[in-house]
Amino acid sequence: MTRFFDEMNLPDGEVRSAYRALAEWLENTPVDRLKSKRDEAEMLFRRLGITFLVYGREGGAERLIPFDIVPRIFSAQEWEQLSAGLIQRVRALNMFVHDIYHEREIIRAGVLPAETLLANALIEPHMHGLDVPRDVYVHVAGIDIVRVSEDRFYVLEDNLRSPSGVSYMLENRNTMMRLFPDLFSSVDVQAVEHYPQELLRNLRATAPPGVDDPTVVVLTPGSYNSAYFEHAFLADQMGVELVEGQDLTVRDGQVLMRTIEGLVRVDVIYRRINDEFMDPLVFRPDSTLGVPGLLSVCRSGRVTLANAFGTGFADDKSIYPFVPEVIRFYLSEEPILENVETYVLRKPDDLAYTLENLADLVVKEVHGSGGYGMLVGPMSTAEEREAYRARILDCPENFIAQPTLALSHCPTFVDEGIAPRHVDLRPYVLSGETVSVVPCGLTRVALTEGSLVVNSSQGGGTKDTWVLEA
Amino acid sequence: MTMLGRTANQLYWMARYIERAENMARLIDVANRMVLLDVPGQAHESVWGSTLEVAGYPEDFVTFGGQISSSGVVLFLAFDDGFPSSIFSSIRAARENARALRVSITSEMWESINTTWLELRDYDSRTLFNGGVRDFCDWVKERTHSFRGVTDATMLRDESYAFLDMGLAVERADNTARLLDSKYHVLLPRDEHVGGSVDYYQWGAVLRSLSAFRAYHKVYSDVIQPRRVAELLLLRGDMPRSLMACFDRITSQLESLCQGRPQECQRIAGEIHASLRFGRIDDIFRQGLHEFLTRFIARNADLSAQIEHDFMMLQRSRIPA
């Protein structure tokens, strides 16, 4: 049986130093109190309306993501290593996107095979040769991390389009401080509340040249989008307008918003709408979410989009296996964070290996997300594997496979009391003036015993994530 | 910072929906009382029939098989999710707007309306059949009062507040006018028995439904007379639900919003305001109260459309949630 890395306890049962105060507190807190605190947390989330919409259900039912009241803790040293690795990775990815839309040196140097790009529909032709302020393409990156041992962190996935979840990270902390002030007085946790200010600072830093007091807006698809709460939350925390496509218009080569006093120029758009819906003149003509003509203003450099158009190719699962090489190529540094070994089923050898070892591997669709449509080998039945095998053979290049990772587990409050459950982590990396990461992240937890799937759409929950002061 | 036209529209409609929910609760409450009182000469059917009329529902009430029954009408007006002016629909729409407006309202306001919605959604409508109508109406009024209290106590007095306040006033004026008009229909054509017991109960009910019963006696120290009821509810600025009081609010908010930029809506509001401010109740009765109210309701609707046109710059038709 696989031994999973336990984030709280050492193999001999002793508690790691970062968790000592928490362990003591858990020991001294009756289960009834934990239960009532958990209920209180749920009530708070519901009252504040921190919900997400589940698509495909009647009327898009509003649901709460379950919140676990036991925090996950990193020591200052652990975080130092992690954040250095995250910053390194995002710096390199920004340079990579820039290169692909300019000289493509990485291909000329033979580091990245040209065919990986040819097949990639997410490369945006309109971005070729276009310069963006400070060469920043990915203003906000969500890098999904799993831990398998004391000092091994793997990057599971890069999210470079419009990663969500940061409002949960912030509200989780807020809720914990409200529920357990006593705990915070005994543990020194690094603050995270300044994230929106950092985001605003970086967005302003990438305004079009010559604009000294830029107007920043958050662009949302609207209140029926599953992440609407987050869009509103961030706009509110940054003190900027939350706009929909219908609030913006393009006139005289500028993006303007319709206000009660007339039209006002917009300089930076933090957009939470996918590329294909952004400009019906260029992309999907049926989109009512975007702004006709937006791309042309972008191309003339008179508005900044965050993230830029066309970053999606770089977080595609077909590019993922090359990211360590990307880091070495642009930064001449060894990657600090490891990639998960990945079999690309486009390659015959990898395909053969995968089909032979389906029961041990995790197979994912290249363009999939949210834990939908993946096969977790060890958890699957023989029939499920057979069905999946047929899907793979139908179109192998649509799939990649990875070994089933021994995700670390953390103490979690479940019906039986405190028990270990598997977790991952999504920290948010900001680029603009500099590349930085606030000392926190969204910890997702698989609440079902033994489950390795942490996605909220698949019954996962979240936890507050603490990084201790040195 | 300036404000999006769409945001202004959502604020305006959120306030209208909340006011509408409260007015509906008042309407139900009064009808329910009249039925319980067994007012002489008042069949239950006609009480509920005129209630449906004020609520803006066609006279031929067919949803419940043409039978007008207390519980059927109450259930319909309170909980029918297909009837856009039911309390349920109004609170849901207000809450949907509030959800979209999270950045523009205070967290206390959001929590207030969200809590109202969650409780309403879980409300056991069967309690209405066991004498719970009054409790329910009191609950709705309490929740809407609480929302306004929270708004008053937490919201910056900026443009957002102005649009909320105008939404409230426009909706309230519409409701007061409709209520008066419906009772006018029932009572005045024959113009007899003034001061009789039927009048007393009917007009007493109107006054109560507008929280004006005690105010009437304070102001007039006299038996209830339709002319005075009308004067109180049309022309007196010190009566919070009167047309005059509503237009005091609307014109003063428009004045601050339109500083330096005269707008058509301000002109319309000023015209209506002047007719209330300088109008005499005797003249109104001479022209006909019904004609006056019909014209007022239409002018008020014009004003609302003009406010939306002047400030909200809506591009695509957007049905407020």
Side-chain angles (χ1 to χ4, degrees):
Chain A
M1 200 196 120
T2 328
R3 272 201 66 89
F4 295 103
F5 178 75
D6 190 299
E7 299 206 358
M8 180 159 87
N9 297 307
L10 291 161
D12 62 6
E14 204 187 318
V15 176
R16 289 171 206 281
S17 63
Y19 274 89
R20 233 163 255 161
L22 177 71
E24 199 174 303
W25 181 84
L26 281 175
E27 199 142 296
N28 294 326
T29 308
V31 171
D32 283 353
R33 175 145 190 267
L34 293 178
K35 275 211 177 81
S36 77
K37 287 291 179 184
R38 181 184 57 192
D39 296 345
E40 197 181 325
E42 194 186 313
M43 195 268 292
L44 281 173
F45 278 108
R46 201 171 282 285
R47 211 177 69 190
L48 291 170
I50 307 175
T51 54
F52 72 106
L53 296 172
V54 183
Y55 295 125
R57 284 168 196 248
E58 189 197 343
E62 276 177 51
R63 270 205 355 215
L64 286 178
I65 297 183
F67 173 67
D68 179 51
I69 55 172
V70 183
R72 184 227 198 135
I73 308 180
F74 290 106
S75 70
Q77 295 83 345
E78 286 168 333
W79 186 258
E80 219 167 282
Q81 181 204 351
L82 247 177
S83 70
L86 291 165
I87 289 169
Q88 176 194 54
R89 192 167 174 109
V90 172
R91 275 178 64 209
L93 285 168
N94 258 314
M95 294 168 83
F96 173 53
V97 178
H98 180 266
D99 187 27
I100 293 304
Y101 288 129
H102 289 79
E103 306 303 320
R104 299 199 165 185
E105 280 164 13
I106 194 166
I107 292 177
R108 288 197 220 168
V111 175
L112 186 74
E115 67 263 25
T116 52
L117 290 184
L118 286 177
N120 201 315
L122 295 167
I123 294 220
E124 179 43 62
H126 294 95
M127 291 299 287
H128 283 304
L130 186 65
D131 289 318
V132 296
R134 293 181 190 256
D135 292 340
V136 172
Y137 290 81
V138 182
H139 301 71
V140 183
I143 310 292
D144 290 346
I145 301 278
V146 296
R147 184 178 198 178
V148 296
S149 70
E150 191 73 54
D151 46 11
R152 292 192 89 166
F153 293 93
Y154 285 117
V155 173
L156 200 57
E157 200 170 276
D158 303 294
N159 295 281
L160 308 179
R161 300 172 215 193
S162 89
S164 61
V166 77
S167 58
Y168 295 101
M169 170 181 102
L170 298 169
E171 284 294 351
N172 286 354
R173 173 63 55 83
N174 198 9
T175 303
M176 284 299 282
M177 292 181 77
R178 190 159 166 176
L179 293 179
F180 304 110
D182 48 330
L183 193 49
F184 281 87
S185 65
S186 62
V187 187
D188 285 333
V189 182
Q190 293 193 37
V192 64
E193 292 79 3
H194 56 296
Y195 176 85
Q197 287 314 299
E198 286 297 295
L199 175 60
L200 182 61
R201 189 169 63 81
N202 284 299
L203 292 172
R204 288 176 64 101
T206 54
V211 177
D212 16 293
D213 186 14
T215 299
V216 177
V217 297
V218 177
L219 175 61
T220 174
S223 62
Y224 294 101
N225 182 266
S226 65
Y228 181 75
F229 166 74
E230 174 156 309
H231 308 157
F233 176 89
L234 289 173
D236 184 31
Q237 296 284 307
M238 292 193 286
V240 306
E241 282 295 342
L242 176 67
V243 303
E244 295 179 16
Q246 57 174 325
D247 300 321
L248 300 179
T249 182
V250 169
R251 222 169 274 183
D252 304 327
Q254 296 180 319
V255 178
L256 304 169
M257 68 175 157
R258 303 175 209 276
T259 76
I260 56 171
E261 285 157 18
L263 298 168
V264 172
R265 194 189 69 212
V266 170
D267 304 302
V268 182
I269 301 176
Y270 176 44
R271 51 93 174 217
R272 299 294 297 262
I273 298 179
N274 292 341
D275 284 5
E276 55 191 305
F277 296 103
M278 285 292 284
D279 185 346
L281 296 187
V282 184
F283 307 109
R284 288 179 59 149
D286 60 336
S287 169
T288 56
L289 304 176
V291 188
L294 181 62
L295 185 77
S296 69
V297 186
C298 268
R299 281 198 53 86
S300 70
R302 297 182 70 183
V303 73
T304 301
L305 275 199
N307 294 347
F309 275 121
T311 57
F313 78 90
D315 70 14
D316 195 74
K317 292 186 178 74
S318 63
I319 291 291
Y320 168 85
F322 296 96
V323 175
E325 286 307 319
V326 165
I327 294 172
R328 290 187 191 100
F329 181 76
Y330 294 106
L331 303 177
S332 308
E333 292 173 10
E334 270 308 298
I336 300 169
L337 298 172
E338 293 183 57
N339 252 24
V340 182
E341 191 179 357
T342 303
Y343 304 99
V344 181
L345 306 199
R346 171 167 50 79
K347 299 183 189 168
D349 288 357
D350 285 8
L351 176 63
Y353 175 84
T354 301
L355 291 177
E356 245 162 67
N357 295 283
L358 268 187
D360 300 321
L361 297 171
V362 175
V363 191
K364 299 175 182 173
E365 290 176 58
V366 173
H367 306 294
S369 67
Y372 291 104
M374 70 186 216
L375 177 79
V376 182
M379 303 285 169
S380 63
T381 64
E383 295 93 75
E384 282 167 350
R385 286 194 294 276
E386 275 321 299
Y388 213 87
R389 180 190 303 274
R391 288 184 59 202
I392 294 174
L393 286 170
D394 199 36
C395 192
E397 59 270 27
N398 267 354
F399 296 90
I400 58 158
Q402 292 170 335
T404 310
L405 293 171
L407 261 61
S408 60
H409 53 213
C410 277
T412 301
F413 186 57
V414 292
D415 290 342
E416 306 90 280
I418 301 288
R421 290 290 183 269
H422 294 291
V423 292
D424 79 350
L425 178 72
R426 176 179 288 185
Y428 297 87
V429 186
L430 297 175
S431 304
E433 218 168 66
T434 54
V435 181
S436 62
V437 50
V438 293
C440 194
L442 180 65
T443 290
R444 298 188 298 178
V445 53
L447 293 170
T448 312
E449 187 171 7
S451 170
L452 294 168
V453 184
V454 296
N455 301 78
S456 52
S457 50
Q458 315 277 310
T462 69
K463 282 168 168 291
D464 189 14
T465 308
W466 293 4
V467 176
L468 301 186
E469 301 274 3
Chain B
M1 195 167 72
T2 183
M3 179 193 280
L4 291 175
R6 180 175 50 82
T7 304
N9 187 52
Q10 285 169 328
L11 285 161
Y12 177 78
W13 277 98
M14 178 177 71
R16 286 197 69 159
Y17 284 128
I18 287 172
E19 185 64 23
R20 191 170 291 180
E22 177 179 333
N23 290 332
M24 192 61 81
R26 288 174 176 279
L27 204 56
I28 295 171
D29 191 25
V30 149
N32 186 55
R33 280 185 212 216
M34 294 197 52
V35 166
L36 292 179
L37 276 173
D38 255 336
V39 178
Q42 273 291 303
H44 292 184
E45 292 219 344
S46 83
V47 171
W48 289 117
S50 79
T51 301
L52 283 164
E53 203 183 311
V54 184
Y57 200 82
E59 285 158 40
D60 47 335
F61 181 71
V62 289
T63 310
F64 297 96
Q67 280 282 340
I68 293 189
S69 70
S70 296
S71 51
V73 178
V74 171
L75 198 62
F76 176 75
L77 295 176
F79 283 100
D80 194 282
D81 68 350
F83 177 46
S85 295
S86 71
I87 292 173
F88 185 89
S89 301
S90 298
I91 295 290
R92 180 177 55 192
R95 190 264 187 178
E96 276 308 301
N97 276 332
R99 202 167 74 85
L101 283 167
R102 295 288 293 270
V103 182
S104 310
I105 59 177
T106 63
S107 55
E108 288 90 342
M109 287 166 71
W110 161 251
E111 287 184 29
S112 168
I113 183 68
N114 193 39
T115 304
T116 305
W117 163 246
L118 295 175
E119 287 179 25
L120 179 64
R121 202 189 50 183
D122 297 340
Y123 210 95
D124 183 358
S125 56
R126 280 170 306 183
T127 59
L128 293 182
F129 301 116
N130 305 322
V133 172
R134 191 144 179 200
D135 285 348
F136 175 72
C137 293
D138 283 348
W139 176 81
V140 173
K141 283 191 267 178
E142 185 198 308
R143 292 305 307 174
T144 54
H145 288 325
S146 151
F147 180 80
R148 265 194 305 280
V150 155
T151 303
D152 183 62
T154 62
M155 190 135 181
L156 186 68
R157 295 306 192 261
D158 61 357
E159 297 93 339
S160 299
Y161 186 83
F163 286 108
L164 281 174
D165 205 42
M166 284 198 301
L168 177 151
V170 167
E171 181 71 27
R172 186 177 284 179
D174 179 72
N175 178 68
T176 298
R178 276 177 200 283
L179 196 74
L180 279 175
D181 195 32
S182 87
K183 295 299 171 189
Y184 168 83
H185 262 320
V186 175
L187 281 172
L188 284 192
R190 284 166 287 133
D191 204 11
E192 55 197 23
H193 303 307
V194 175
S197 70
V198 175
D199 284 1
Y200 175 82
Y201 285 112
Q202 281 284 357
W203 288 109
V206 170
L207 289 170
R208 276 185 216 280
S209 75
L210 298 169
S211 300
F213 190 77
R214 184 167 296 168
Y216 181 93
H217 289 287
K218 254 182 134 165
V219 172
Y220 297 106
S221 314
D222 191 6
V223 292
I224 296 175
Q225 294 180 22
R227 191 163 298 228
R228 286 184 164 165
V229 172
E231 184 184 56
L232 182 70
L233 296 172
L234 297 181
L235 305 183
R236 281 197 73 110
D238 51 1
M239 187 58 230
R241 306 191 83 83
S242 73
L243 305 190
M244 179 64 189
C246 293
F247 271 80
D248 280 344
R249 291 173 96 138
I250 293 167
T251 47
S252 97
Q253 296 297 0
L254 280 176
E255 192 149 323
S256 64
L257 284 171
C258 294
Q259 266 169 7
R261 289 189 316 142
Q263 301 275 18
E264 172 65 9
C265 61
Q266 196 181 10
R267 194 193 63 75
I268 298 177
E271 208 176 76
I272 302 174
H273 192 216
S275 74
L276 296 167
R277 191 166 160 208
F278 303 113
R280 281 189 306 208
I281 199 68
D282 290 341
D283 293 340
I284 291 172
F285 269 65
R286 206 166 299 129
Q287 295 167 23
L289 180 59
H290 173 62
E291 287 68 25
F292 177 87
L293 290 169
T294 309
R295 183 171 152 76
F296 174 84
I297 291 167
R299 291 294 280 154
N300 193 43
D302 283 348
L303 170 65
S304 184
Q306 193 66 40
I307 289 172
E308 291 188 290
H309 176 272
D310 291 345
F311 292 106
M312 302 171 188
M313 300 179 83
L314 294 184
Q315 285 308 294
R316 299 172 195 139
S317 67
R318 186 185 172 81
I319 303 151

